Amino acid sequence: YMMGTVYVQVVLLESDGSIDTQSENWTQTEIDLVKSEIAAGLAWWEDMFALEYPSLATTMPLDFQIDFTYADSPLATGYEPITRSHNDDDLWMNEFLDEVGYLGVSGYETYQDFSYYADDLRREQGTDWAMIVFVVDSSADTDGMFTDGYFGYADLGGPRVVMTYDNDGWGIDDMQMVMAHETGHTFFALDEYSGASDYTETSGYYNTQNLNAIDGNPDPSS
């Protein structure tokens, strides 16, 4: 459930051409835009929490604590993520896990390694939750999507979020909306748009119904 303190680690990736042909390069202007858009998307949730639960917000506000270390100094990768399918994300994610010393710690797969990593981040930072946000440079890409059409996705229940710089038609100027949407998934919220999750589906610690979904909604205009 989304309350308390949330440690957010933002990771940008910088290709070095050692495996894939390099086609993207972060500029300082792009990095600054990503940082401001992510901060705005998370601040929206803080504002919504305060509006919905004003009394609770005074004693236990929702507080996203953002770490931009790997945004200010993007992680070098041999891959050019935007030129690949989103299903190849374990390739460059494993490079990050190796960087922070968590590659293979679970003995299972990349997702499990990240679960261990996020839990340790939470403990080390003294927060209630932790999440890792990856941003893939797509400023030189023609459509701002991975080769299979993905551009923003998250683990249901966390801890990972992935976005491209352009986010398909949303663009960098509306990244805050994509950030807010994917953060919802991190806390078990289901999709609301047509062709995704259904009104009758439930999710989360309280098995809450997906009342804002269009599909299956008895009053879609609501």
Side-chain angles (χ1 to χ4, degrees), residues 6 13 46 51 76 82 148 154 163 177 183 206 212:
V6 188
L13 301 135
E46 294 173 343
L51 286 171
I82 198 63
D148 56 354
M163 296 185 294
M177 298 173 72
T183 300
Y206 294 105
N212 69 329

mmCIF file of all heavy atoms in Angstrom, residues 6 13 46 51 76 82 148 154 163 177 183 206 212:
data_model
loop_
_atom_site.group_PDB
_atom_site.id
_atom_site.type_symbol
_atom_site.label_atom_id
_atom_site.label_comp_id
_atom_site.label_asym_id
_atom_site.label_seq_id
_atom_site.Cartn_x
_atom_site.Cartn_y
_atom_site.Cartn_z
ATOM 1 N N VAL A 6 9.268 6.314 0.787
ATOM 2 C CA VAL A 6 9.655 5.493 -0.360
ATOM 3 C C VAL A 6 10.996 5.978 -0.893
ATOM 4 O O VAL A 6 11.113 7.136 -1.323
ATOM 5 C CB VAL A 6 8.602 5.549 -1.490
ATOM 6 C CG1 VAL A 6 8.952 4.530 -2.581
ATOM 7 C CG2 VAL A 6 7.198 5.306 -0.951
ATOM 8 N N LEU A 13 21.031 4.913 -18.285
ATOM 9 C CA LEU A 13 22.006 4.029 -18.915
ATOM 10 C C LEU A 13 22.701 4.733 -20.069
ATOM 11 O O LEU A 13 22.040 5.364 -20.900
ATOM 12 C CB LEU A 13 21.312 2.759 -19.409
ATOM 13 C CG LEU A 13 20.601 1.975 -18.297
ATOM 14 C CD1 LEU A 13 19.232 1.541 -18.758
ATOM 15 C CD2 LEU A 13 21.425 0.805 -17.841
ATOM 16 N N GLU A 46 2.191 12.423 -3.827
ATOM 17 C CA GLU A 46 2.230 13.020 -2.492
ATOM 18 C C GLU A 46 1.077 13.994 -2.306
ATOM 19 O O GLU A 46 0.417 14.016 -1.255
ATOM 20 C CB GLU A 46 3.567 13.731 -2.281
ATOM 21 C CG GLU A 46 4.767 12.801 -2.253
ATOM 22 C CD GLU A 46 6.093 13.540 -2.217
ATOM 23 O OE1 GLU A 46 6.106 14.752 -2.540
ATOM 24 O OE2 GLU A 46 7.104 12.908 -1.871
ATOM 25 N N LEU A 51 -4.510 15.217 -0.175
ATOM 26 C CA LEU A 51 -5.895 15.596 -0.430
ATOM 27 C C LEU A 51 -6.868 14.528 0.051
ATOM 28 O O LEU A 51 -7.936 14.837 0.595
ATOM 29 C CB LEU A 51 -6.097 15.843 -1.925
ATOM 30 C CG LEU A 51 -5.515 17.133 -2.499
ATOM 31 C CD1 LEU A 51 -5.619 17.119 -4.021
ATOM 32 C CD2 LEU A 51 -6.232 18.347 -1.930
ATOM 33 N N ALA A 76 27.312 2.951 -17.324
ATOM 34 C CA ALA A 76 27.816 2.503 -18.621
ATOM 35 C C ALA A 76 27.310 1.096 -18.921
ATOM 36 O O ALA A 76 27.303 0.219 -18.057
ATOM 37 C CB ALA A 76 29.338 2.518 -18.620
ATOM 38 N N ILE A 82 17.483 0.857 -26.337
ATOM 39 C CA ILE A 82 16.344 1.256 -27.154
ATOM 40 C C ILE A 82 16.328 0.538 -28.503
ATOM 41 O O ILE A 82 15.280 0.467 -29.161
ATOM 42 C CB ILE A 82 16.325 2.788 -27.360
ATOM 43 C CG1 ILE A 82 14.941 3.251 -27.823
ATOM 44 C CG2 ILE A 82 17.410 3.221 -28.342
ATOM 45 C CD1 ILE A 82 13.835 3.005 -26.819
ATOM 46 N N ASP A 148 9.809 -3.826 -29.725
ATOM 47 C CA ASP A 148 8.539 -4.550 -29.663
ATOM 48 C C ASP A 148 7.386 -3.659 -29.222
ATOM 49 O O ASP A 148 6.307 -4.139 -28.893
ATOM 50 C CB ASP A 148 8.659 -5.768 -28.742
ATOM 51 C CG ASP A 148 9.124 -5.411 -27.338
ATOM 52 O OD1 ASP A 148 9.464 -4.233 -27.090
ATOM 53 O OD2 ASP A 148 9.166 -6.307 -26.474
ATOM 54 N N ALA A 154 6.263 -1.667 -15.477
ATOM 55 C CA ALA A 154 6.718 -1.833 -14.099
ATOM 56 C C ALA A 154 6.314 -3.201 -13.588
ATOM 57 O O ALA A 154 5.355 -3.810 -14.067
ATOM 58 C CB ALA A 154 6.124 -0.750 -13.204
ATOM 59 N N MET A 163 11.238 3.248 -18.136
ATOM 60 C CA MET A 163 10.663 4.221 -19.060
ATOM 61 C C MET A 163 11.704 4.573 -20.113
ATOM 62 O O MET A 163 12.900 4.508 -19.854
ATOM 63 C CB MET A 163 10.250 5.508 -18.332
ATOM 64 C CG MET A 163 9.155 5.347 -17.320
ATOM 65 S SD MET A 163 8.649 6.964 -16.629
ATOM 66 C CE MET A 163 10.145 7.437 -15.754
ATOM 67 N N MET A 177 3.587 12.082 -16.140
ATOM 68 C CA MET A 177 2.347 11.307 -16.169
ATOM 69 C C MET A 177 2.645 9.818 -16.273
ATOM 70 O O MET A 177 1.990 8.990 -15.626
ATOM 71 C CB MET A 177 1.469 11.771 -17.330
ATOM 72 C CG MET A 177 1.053 13.226 -17.215
ATOM 73 S SD MET A 177 0.178 13.834 -18.679
ATOM 74 C CE MET A 177 -1.385 12.987 -18.506
ATOM 75 N N THR A 183 4.298 4.199 -11.207
ATOM 76 C CA THR A 183 4.425 4.126 -9.751
ATOM 77 C C THR A 183 3.200 3.457 -9.151
ATOM 78 O O THR A 183 3.295 2.712 -8.168
ATOM 79 C CB THR A 183 4.623 5.526 -9.152
ATOM 80 O OG1 THR A 183 5.811 6.105 -9.703
ATOM 81 C CG2 THR A 183 4.766 5.471 -7.637
ATOM 82 N N TYR A 206 -5.124 -5.270 0.037
ATOM 83 C CA TYR A 206 -6.529 -5.301 0.429
ATOM 84 C C TYR A 206 -7.428 -5.857 -0.666
ATOM 85 O O TYR A 206 -8.651 -5.751 -0.579
ATOM 86 C CB TYR A 206 -6.990 -3.895 0.826
ATOM 87 C CG TYR A 206 -6.299 -3.390 2.066
ATOM 88 C CD1 TYR A 206 -5.293 -2.433 1.973
ATOM 89 C CD2 TYR A 206 -6.628 -3.881 3.331
ATOM 90 C CE1 TYR A 206 -4.635 -1.979 3.118
ATOM 91 C CE2 TYR A 206 -5.988 -3.435 4.467
ATOM 92 C CZ TYR A 206 -4.989 -2.488 4.357
ATOM 93 O OH TYR A 206 -4.348 -2.037 5.480
ATOM 94 N N ASN A 212 -11.581 2.171 -11.398
ATOM 95 C CA ASN A 212 -11.412 3.223 -12.406
ATOM 96 C C ASN A 212 -11.078 2.663 -13.782
ATOM 97 O O ASN A 212 -10.719 3.408 -14.690
ATOM 98 C CB ASN A 212 -10.349 4.237 -11.972
ATOM 99 C CG ASN A 212 -8.941 3.649 -11.981
ATOM 100 O OD1 ASN A 212 -8.781 2.465 -11.749
ATOM 101 N ND2 ASN A 212 -7.943 4.478 -12.240
#
